[in-house]
Amino acid sequence: MKKECKDCGAELTIPQDSMVGEIITCPDCGTDFEIVSKNQDTVEMKEAESVGEDWGQ
Amino acid sequence: MNRICIIYDKLRFEEKQIYNKIKEKGIDASLVDGKSITFDTESSKPDPIFGDIIFQRVISYIRGLHLTYCLEEIGLPVVNSFNVSEICGNKLITSMVLKKNNVPTPKTTFAFSTESARECMNKLGYPLVVKPIIGSWGRGVYQIKDHTMAKIFLDMREENDNLFSRIYYFQELVDRPTRDIRCIVIGNEIAASVYRYSPENEWRTNVAVGGRTEVAPLNPELREIVLKASKAVGEGILGVDLMEDRETGYLVHEVNNTVEFRGASAVSKSDIAGKMVDYLLEKSNK
């Protein structure tokens, strides 16, 4: 599935097995998008949260 | 029938693996975005979406910790528990707890102001290692080699208005091979153990900075120290990281609360995600 980067207009490829909550990074501008919903034909994304200092494992 | 709920805020390789493994075993599973949850003081009855047990896999330590508190308050079992999360998410507390429980750990000094940090560094001498008390993936971990670097580091910290930037954590630089050991511990079982080798021109071994993994054989001493560390922090699903001090042997330097295992699963034959699911089921039946 293909989407357009909302920031730079580059083409984003959404892998078939991707799931809601996953992050898709624009290959051109590096913006991270979070998948918020996904079905057979459509995928909705929003800009992902920026990495926090408390992020980790 | 059991239902396992995975709470996440960013779906990583690990959460996908665990979710798929739960489904594979024919168990009911839900994935809940931690960013979408709300609580209030009147919350008392768990929403059915949370199922019988929660696997807390939130990437933001502070968010995860507070969510865990709320979930436990309404009577839900959470892995890892609030107490375990609090200890493991904060390196200062981890170091203190490990030492108190006689788990070998690097000698570490804490300071609580820039001035006392300066005095500490002068007293300890160089080289030494500085780490943020909260954070992962080797971010903010530096080797301070001399007085000039120390001054730059302190200036940088002073300019940083991060909540924890005035808590200083200084650790001895351990003379070790160019690797450390990551053990995935589930309850009282070590599910996998791998060496993590530093990439070229890098002293840190984190997979996030390009570290390469290889299976690390377990021996009785390593097993004992790892399980002791896990028990010290309160047990759960954990990542115990150790260094091999050329003089004194194994030293536990970190216990990870929402352990990542992509590097380990690439080389280990162990069904890490499957073992995690089995542990959650066992816990939910108690």
Side-chain angles (χ1 to χ4, degrees):
Chain A
M1 203 181 296
K2 306 282 183 195
K3 287 284 278 187
E4 188 179 280
C5 173
K6 283 177 188 167
D7 268 25
C8 74
E11 190 175 77
L12 302 175
T13 304
I14 319 294
Q16 208 59 42
D17 65 345
S18 59
M19 291 165 65
V20 169
E22 267 191 84
I23 305 294
I24 305 291
T25 303
C26 173
D28 282 15
C29 70
T31 305
D32 286 335
F33 296 97
E34 179 183 337
I35 300 177
V36 288
S37 72
K38 186 173 178 260
N39 59 38
Q40 208 65 19
D41 324 297
T42 58
V43 60
E44 292 301 319
M45 302 197 298
K46 66 173 184 186
E47 202 161 317
E49 274 192 339
S50 55
V51 177
E53 291 199 36
D54 70 329
W55 278 27
Q57 52 173 331
Chain B
M1 173 140 173
N2 286 303
R3 183 179 200 187
I4 299 175
C5 170
I6 300 170
I7 296 187
Y8 69 94
D9 51 2
K10 178 187 167 193
L11 208 66
R12 292 169 285 187
F13 164 87
E14 287 80 4
E15 288 76 42
K16 277 182 84 171
Q17 275 248 315
I18 297 157
Y19 179 75
N20 290 333
K21 190 58 73 172
I22 299 171
K23 302 295 264 184
E24 218 176 85
K25 286 178 184 272
I27 298 153
D28 201 6
S30 60
L31 272 167
V32 175
D33 183 352
K35 303 191 293 299
S36 69
I37 300 173
T38 58
F39 276 94
D40 60 55
T41 49
E42 311 305 306
S43 298
S44 59
K45 204 169 162 222
D47 188 311
I49 197 160
F50 294 133
D52 304 296
I53 191 156
I54 289 169
F55 195 16
Q56 197 273 94
R57 295 283 312 177
V58 170
I59 205 167
S60 156
Y61 166 64
I62 301 293
R63 178 185 288 139
L65 191 66
H66 288 81
L67 267 173
T68 301
Y69 183 85
C70 293
L71 293 161
E72 285 185 348
E73 275 300 295
I74 56 167
L76 286 162
V78 185
V79 174
N80 291 314
S81 71
F82 177 85
N83 289 339
V84 172
S85 307
E86 188 178 41
I87 294 169
C88 298
N90 182 313
K91 290 190 182 68
L92 182 153
I93 302 177
T94 308
S95 294
M96 296 287 269
V97 167
L98 291 174
K99 185 68 192 172
K100 189 179 167 187
N101 287 277
N102 298 315
V103 178
T105 190
K107 191 181 170 211
T108 309
T109 306
F110 319 116
F112 305 95
S113 71
T114 310
E115 197 43 53
S116 63
R118 187 175 293 113
E119 280 171 29
C120 262
M121 292 171 101
N122 285 336
K123 200 169 143 194
L124 293 166
Y126 307 98
L128 54 83
V129 175
V130 294
K131 297 180 179 179
I133 59 162
I134 288 169
S136 260
W137 308 319
R139 292 185 309 161
V141 176
Y142 306 116
Q143 245 190 67
I144 304 290
K145 294 184 173 170
D146 53 33
H147 181 72
T148 311
M149 274 181 83
K151 191 177 177 315
I152 295 168
F153 165 73
L154 289 174
D155 286 351
M156 277 167 55
R157 273 286 185 95
E158 275 236 297
E159 283 165 21
N160 189 336
D161 59 359
N162 171 297
L163 199 57
F164 300 101
S165 66
R166 304 297 155 83
I167 312 292
Y168 293 89
Y169 181 100
F170 301 118
Q171 198 159 69
E172 62 175 324
L173 178 66
V174 173
D175 180 19
R176 57 163 172 82
T178 56
R179 66 183 188 195
D180 73 353
I181 302 171
R182 155 69 52 95
C183 294
I184 317 280
V185 188
I186 302 171
N188 55 14
E189 189 199 338
I190 302 173
S193 55
V194 293
Y195 290 122
R196 302 186 303 176
Y197 286 87
S198 313
E200 213 176 319
N201 299 322
E202 173 62 70
W203 65 284
R204 296 170 299 177
T205 55
N206 307 72
V207 172
V209 297
R212 168 179 67 83
T213 53
E214 196 177 276
V215 170
L218 281 170
N219 60 52
E221 188 194 1
L222 177 59
R223 187 184 296 273
E224 191 194 327
I225 292 173
V226 169
L227 293 179
K228 202 172 173 185
S230 159
K231 202 172 171 194
V233 300
E235 272 187 18
I237 294 179
L238 301 163
V240 177
D241 294 344
L242 308 95
M243 292 186 269
E244 302 153 279
D245 188 305
R246 289 187 210 274
E247 262 185 39
T248 59
Y250 296 117
L251 295 171
V252 177
H253 58 99
E254 206 166 305
V255 184
N256 297 280
N257 179 46
T258 52
V259 60
E260 292 172 349
F261 53 86
R262 189 173 196 161
S265 68
V267 294
S268 170
K269 288 192 177 115
S270 174
D271 177 13
I272 300 169
K275 287 177 179 172
M276 288 181 177
V277 175
D278 292 343
Y279 176 79
L280 294 166
L281 285 175
E282 189 194 310
K283 282 274 169 193
S284 72
N285 287 329
K286 276 185 183 168

